[in-house]
Amino acid sequence: MPGSPASARDQLAALVRDDAFTGPWPHARGDLDPQVARPASVLVLFGVLDGLPADHHAQAQAVSHDLDVLLLARAATLSSHAGQVAFPGGRADADEDAVSAALREAREETGVDPDGVDVLGTLPALPMPVSNHVVTPVLAWWTRQSPVGVVDPAESAHVFRAPVADLLDPERRVTTVLRRGGQVWRGPAFQVHDAGTQHLVWGFTAGVLDALFDHLGWTEPWDRGRELEIDP
C-alpha cells in the first residue's frame, strides 16, 4: 500500500543491493592511509515504533509521520568526535565482522536489543580519514521495540529517534563549512530537535543520511547556499 511503513523498509532493503549507491564518497576530510586504517561500523537503524510524529509532512510517499532513525550525541568529554551526533557504532574487534560490531556497539551505547533488529545488509565501506577508520554502514529495520537511552554518560550525552520527515524538512537543512589548516570542507547537515534540545547532524553521519535520502528519492529541494560555520 503506498505510504505504508513497509514501503520504506522495502526501499531500504533494495538499497543494499544497489552497487551504485555511494559512488565516489565526497564527505571525507583529508586522505586515508590504507596501511593504518582500522575497520569500524555503524548501525543505521530505521523504525516506526515509538509513535512520535514528525512536524513536517514529507513529500515522499514512503516516509510516514512515524518513520524514524536512531541517533546519539556523543559526550563532550570524548577525545574524538566530541559532542557530535552519530549513528551507534564503533571500531570492530579482531574477531568481528561489520554487522556483529555494529550490533554490539549499538547495544553498549543505547541499550537496543539486537534480537529486535532485522539487518537488511551492509553498504559500501566509507573512508573516515579524520580518525583513520574505514566505516561500514549496517542498514537495519527495527522490528521489535526495546527501550533506548544513554548507557554510559562518559560515551554518550543523548540517545534519540529522529523523525525522518523532519530531517527532510528543507527549513532544517544547511550546508556546514569547516575551515581547518588552510582547507575548507562543505557538507550537508540537518538541524533536529528532541526533548527540548537542538542537535546539528553533520560530517560523516549527515553524509550517509544525505546519500541515502538522495538515492531513495526522498530528498526535498533545499537551499544549499544556506551555510553554517563549524567551530573546529
Side-chain angles (χ1 to χ4, degrees):
M1 181 176 67
S4 69
S7 63
R9 184 193 182 283
D10 290 347
Q11 287 188 35
L12 289 164
L15 192 63
V16 302
R17 301 188 295 272
D18 188 344
D19 294 336
F21 163 57
T22 51
W25 185 240
H27 304 299
R29 302 199 305 271
D31 297 318
L32 185 75
D33 184 349
Q35 299 300 318
V36 299
R38 295 163 294 185
S41 58
V42 294
L43 186 67
V44 187
L45 180 59
F46 290 87
V48 290
L49 299 172
D50 70 350
L52 177 65
D55 296 326
H56 178 68
H57 181 74
Q59 295 178 9
Q61 288 187 333
V63 181
S64 61
H65 277 289
D66 53 358
L67 178 67
D68 57 34
V69 62
L70 181 64
L71 298 172
L72 59 85
R74 301 206 175 278
T77 53
L78 291 175
S79 59
S80 179
H81 309 295
Q84 291 187 22
V85 175
F87 302 114
R91 191 182 308 168
D93 291 339
D95 59 344
E96 289 182 314
D97 60 17
V99 172
S100 299
L103 292 174
R104 174 184 55 77
E105 287 281 349
R107 183 182 67 250
E108 293 175 356
E109 291 180 330
T110 72
V112 66
D113 182 1
D115 289 340
V117 174
D118 181 13
V119 174
L120 303 176
T122 59
L123 300 175
L126 304 171
M128 187 184 286
V130 68
S131 60
N132 276 327
H133 285 96
V134 178
V135 184
T136 299
V138 176
L139 197 57
W141 187 262
W142 213 340
T143 57
R144 190 171 67 250
Q145 184 175 12
S146 57
V148 292
V150 173
V151 175
D152 183 356
E155 294 287 337
S156 305
H158 192 195
V159 173
F160 61 104
R161 299 171 66 166
V164 172
D166 287 348
L167 293 172
L168 296 171
D169 184 353
E171 295 303 314
R172 305 188 194 203
R173 302 209 59 180
V174 295
T175 295
T176 52
V177 182
L178 177 63
R179 306 177 192 275
R180 182 176 293 166
Q183 294 183 292
V184 180
W185 290 280
R186 286 178 168 81
F190 306 82
Q191 296 171 315
V192 296
H193 300 266
D194 184 79
T197 301
Q198 178 170 304
H199 296 286
L200 178 69
V201 187
W202 67 287
F204 178 87
T205 303
V208 172
L209 288 172
D210 181 72
L212 279 169
F213 297 157
D214 278 356
H215 210 77
L216 292 168
W218 294 357
T219 299
E220 300 175 21
W222 60 284
D223 182 6
R224 295 177 183 270
R226 187 167 63 237
E227 296 187 342
L228 177 65
E229 294 274 347
I230 296 293
D231 184 357

